[in-house]
Amino acid sequence: MKNPELALVIPVFNEEKVIKQVINKWLKVLKQINFKIIIVNDGSNDNTKKIIKSILTNKIILLNKKNSGHGPTITYGYKAALKLKPKFIFQVDSDNQFSTGDFKKFWKKRQNYDFIIGHRLVRNDPLHRLVITRILKFFIILFFGFSVKDINVPYRLMNFKVLKEGIKCINPRNIVPNILLSLFAFKTFKYKTEIIKHKKRKTGQVVLANWNLIKFCIRAFYEVAMFKFFKFKL
């Protein structure tokens, strides 16, 4: 069987209200491409799994795992994508906050850049998330001496080589693998940023709030520091 040109990785947790819509949108956008969609169900306890199974096709791979959080779920999906040996890997979240229409800009430039990342010029997230993003940006500038726009955005296209090499720097338990991949790709490969649309979240479950958010931030700062001093050579 011919390897897919594109593997689309979508982590999902308790998105029963929108997951069918999100999948159908991507099936429509990608219909002219040889692709596989890898949906990683992070232990959803609503009807998400049932809904996905009801619309499975030979273009969709559903992977079910115990709940471990967004970051480890993305890494799990990336490793599954590498096994398919696609030319390109795209990652997006399942919360319907991103537009499939922006994908065309990325795909047109896939041969010119190794790594293309979205930039939410207008980010429709709660204030506390925006504050945390700014604090994290400060720490990255402090540690690395440069800044990457929207470094953790779950809307990114990379070629096989970027992910194959970058995944070596990531621990399966890392909670911010996309940040670490961005840092790796920024200094090693040909990199491009594209402005993308971002919508307000209307459904789903917000996991990072209050004390969980504080713990997430502490862990994220720790992982960035460890990546700098033990895994990443400028």
Side-chain angles (χ1 to χ4, degrees), residues 115 144-148 180-191 227 232-234:
F115 186 84
F144 295 92
F146 61 82
S147 174
V148 179
L180 306 185
L181 274 175
S182 296
L183 292 170
F184 170 78
F186 184 85
K187 296 298 292 185
T188 312
F189 293 92
K190 196 171 182 181
Y191 188 103
F227 191 66
F232 193 64
K233 303 297 183 182
L234 290 175

Side-chain angles (χ1 to χ4, degrees), residues 59-82:
K59 291 292 187 179
I60 301 172
I61 299 171
L62 173 61
L63 303 177
N64 296 295
K65 56 182 284 295
K66 292 182 179 180
N67 181 264
S68 61
H70 185 258
T73 301
I74 289 176
T75 301
Y76 191 96
Y78 283 153
K79 289 183 176 180
L82 287 173

Side-chain angles (χ1 to χ4, degrees), residues 5 87-88 104-117 157-159 162 185 188-194:
E5 187 172 14
K87 292 182 179 179
F88 302 94
K104 294 179 181 178
K105 297 185 294 184
F106 287 63
W107 194 243
K108 286 180 180 179
K109 299 176 181 178
R110 68 189 184 280
Q111 303 294 352
N112 299 323
Y113 299 94
D114 300 306
F115 186 84
I116 308 176
I117 187 172
L157 178 70
M158 65 198 93
N159 62 32
V162 170
T188 312
F189 293 92
K190 196 171 182 181
Y191 188 103
K192 173 69 174 175
T193 300
E194 285 287 345

Side-chain angles (χ1 to χ4, degrees), residues 4 7 29 35 50 53 71 79-80 102 107 109 111 113 130 147 150 152 156 174 181 190 224 231 234:
V29 168
F35 72 94
K50 181 178 179 180
K53 290 181 71 174
K79 289 183 176 180
D102 286 320
W107 194 243
K109 299 176 181 178
Q111 303 294 352
Y113 299 94
L130 303 181
S147 174
D150 215 348
N152 198 33
R156 52 186 60 213
N174 283 148
L181 274 175
K190 196 171 182 181
V224 169
K231 294 183 179 180
L234 290 175

Side-chain angles (χ1 to χ4, degrees), residues 8-49:
L8 171 60
V9 176
I10 306 179
V12 59
F13 175 72
N14 287 0
E15 294 288 359
E16 61 181 4
K17 294 182 179 179
V18 295
I19 189 60
K20 183 176 181 179
Q21 179 184 358
V22 169
I23 293 172
N24 284 335
K25 283 182 179 179
W26 282 107
L27 287 172
K28 183 177 180 180
V29 168
L30 302 178
K31 62 182 179 181
Q32 301 300 325
I33 302 171
N34 177 19
F35 72 94
K36 290 286 187 180
I37 297 179
I38 300 173
I39 303 174
V40 187
N41 175 33
D42 186 32
S44 295
N45 51 34
D46 62 358
N47 289 317
T48 294
K49 179 180 176 180

Side-chain angles (χ1 to χ4, degrees), residues 44-181:
S44 295
N45 51 34
D46 62 358
N47 289 317
T48 294
K49 179 180 176 180
K50 181 178 179 180
I51 293 171
I52 297 172
K53 290 181 71 174
S54 73
I55 59 172
L56 282 180
T57 71
N58 62 352
K59 291 292 187 179
I60 301 172
I61 299 171
L62 173 61
L63 303 177
N64 296 295
K65 56 182 284 295
K66 292 182 179 180
N67 181 264
S68 61
H70 185 258
T73 301
I74 289 176
T75 301
Y76 191 96
Y78 283 153
K79 289 183 176 180
L82 287 173
K83 292 179 181 179
L84 298 178
K85 296 184 178 180
K87 292 182 179 179
F88 302 94
I89 301 92
F90 189 81
Q91 193 270 311
V92 69
D93 277 356
S94 57
D95 52 20
N96 203 32
Q97 285 191 266
F98 296 94
S99 171
T100 55
D102 286 320
F103 176 78
K104 294 179 181 178
K105 297 185 294 184
F106 287 63
W107 194 243
K108 286 180 180 179
K109 299 176 181 178
R110 68 189 184 280
Q111 303 294 352
N112 299 323
Y113 299 94
D114 300 306
F115 186 84
I116 308 176
I117 187 172
H119 174 211
R120 292 166 285 191
L121 197 61
V122 178
R123 184 173 172 181
N124 287 296
D125 277 334
L127 178 60
H128 63 272
R129 285 178 175 265
L130 303 181
V131 171
I132 293 304
T133 298
R134 289 186 177 275
I135 295 173
L136 185 57
K137 182 178 180 180
F138 168 78
F139 272 89
I140 289 172
I141 293 174
L142 181 66
F143 288 145
F144 295 92
F146 61 82
S147 174
V148 179
K149 294 179 180 178
D150 215 348
I151 192 168
N152 198 33
V153 64
Y155 203 95
R156 52 186 60 213
L157 178 70
M158 65 198 93
N159 62 32
F160 181 82
K161 185 176 181 180
V162 170
L163 185 57
K164 182 181 178 181
E165 295 301 317
I167 205 75
K168 297 175 183 177
C169 302
I170 296 174
N171 186 296
R173 295 185 298 275
N174 283 148
I175 63 172
V176 287
N178 274 347
I179 289 180
L180 306 185
L181 274 175

